[in-house]
Amino acid sequence: SQKIEQNSEALNIQEGKTATLTCNYTNYSPAYLQWYRQDPGRGPVFLLLIRENEKEKRKERLKVTFDTTLKQSLFHITASQPADSATYLCALDTGGFKTIFGAGTRLFVKA
Amino acid sequence: DAGVIQSPRHEVTEMGQEVTLRCKPISGHDYLFWYRQTMMRGLELLIYFNNNVPIDDSGMPEDRFSAKMPNASFSTLKIQPSEPRDSAVYFCASSSALFEKAFWDYGYTFGSGTRLTVV
């Protein structure tokens, strides 16, 4: 069955550094992959979507890469800030709109 | 637009009671999704609609769960009878059609969720 793996341990980094989160998947070839941010008590918020024919996508301080050979996506936050502290979810499609989500990685940015 | 609106925000009910969760999607979105989130299983897709028609309900855990979308601006998820293992946060989300630019740019828009506790 389709499986998504994200760093289960929390990521702690210092303000100003680049945070890198990993999403690995198996047993499928998604046409696109998404990243969401979730704060406690809130719903996920869309950040970026990258398609299988795109190697990299950027939005302000965010950058996503998508390696379909390695079956991996990397999510980078440059010049991180304490306000970036949240849980980040990777999501991939399994056909049409049947999107499955990873368990998420908690990011803590210390001032 | 006020975003995806869900009600209630919190629901506490006794085992065996009927529970109805409500959702108002973003106007103009063709797709509506119901997800459930728990610590153990993360976010799980329960069912989704396209133009008010249920497309895939394979994620609905049991016959106790049912969902309807009587019009483009309203959907319900009903659990009858409720059980303690149904306790979770239930999210509604909506989106534009797949392969439209709006979907590539904005993905899914989630509501704030309904935290359901069945005692």
Side-chain angles (χ1 to χ4, degrees):
Chain A
S1 62
Q2 182 61 44
K3 187 176 179 182
I4 302 179
E5 290 185 349
Q6 295 188 251
N7 315 52
S8 57
E9 294 186 8
L11 180 62
N12 291 280
I13 65 168
Q14 198 68 33
E15 182 177 12
K17 300 294 186 182
T18 296
T20 299
L21 285 64
T22 304
C23 175
N24 295 297
Y25 59 93
T26 59
N27 299 338
Y28 202 73
S29 299
Y32 58 90
L33 186 148
Q34 303 177 69
W35 284 89
Y36 287 77
R37 168 184 174 142
Q38 187 172 24
D39 292 285
R42 309 293 294 272
V45 175
F46 174 81
L47 297 174
L48 280 168
L49 181 154
I50 186 166
R51 290 184 269 188
E52 60 179 339
N53 61 344
E54 298 175 310
K55 296 297 183 185
E56 178 181 301
K57 199 161 188 179
R58 293 174 184 263
K59 180 180 176 181
E60 298 173 354
R61 294 185 296 111
L62 309 180
K63 185 179 85 171
V64 174
T65 63
F66 191 12
D67 189 325
T68 55
T69 301
L70 291 179
K71 293 188 181 294
Q72 180 181 78
S73 175
L74 298 179
F75 177 79
H76 307 272
I77 305 175
T78 59
S80 59
Q81 305 165 1
D84 295 327
S85 299
T87 296
Y88 291 86
L89 305 170
C90 165
L92 57 88
D93 81 294
T94 63
F97 270 117
K98 292 194 71 172
T99 297
I100 58 174
F101 283 78
T105 298
R106 292 195 70 184
L107 173 66
F108 293 98
V109 182
K110 294 183 289 185
Chain B
D1 203 314
V4 175
I5 300 172
Q6 291 187 246
S7 63
R9 286 283 279 137
H10 302 274
E11 177 80 41
V12 180
T13 191
E14 292 185 347
M15 182 174 63
Q17 296 298 306
E18 177 180 294
V19 175
T20 299
L21 311 181
R22 297 172 176 79
C23 174
K24 180 181 183 341
I26 288 178
S27 176
H29 278 184
D30 299 324
Y31 286 81
L32 181 140
F33 309 84
W34 283 100
Y35 278 87
R36 177 172 69 176
Q37 187 173 39
T38 61
M39 288 295 293
M40 289 296 294
R41 301 174 68 89
L43 261 174
E44 302 174 280
L45 176 63
L46 301 177
I47 184 172
Y48 76 91
F49 295 81
N50 175 214
N51 292 325
N52 314 337
V53 176
I55 302 301
D56 191 319
D57 66 354
S58 59
M60 296 285 261
E62 300 171 30
D63 291 344
R64 298 183 296 106
F65 286 70
S66 63
K68 294 182 180 179
M69 192 166 184
N71 57 62
S73 58
F74 184 66
S75 177
T76 60
L77 178 67
K78 186 176 293 186
I79 308 173
Q80 166 64 20
S82 57
E83 297 183 3
R85 60 190 166 130
D86 301 330
S87 297
V89 181
Y90 290 81
F91 288 104
C92 175
S94 68
S95 79
S96 298
L98 191 62
F99 302 120
E100 285 188 6
K101 187 176 185 304
F103 179 74
W104 303 128
D105 291 342
Y106 301 110
Y108 302 140
T109 302
F110 282 80
S112 296
T114 295
R115 180 173 295 277
L116 174 65
T117 304
V118 183
V119 298

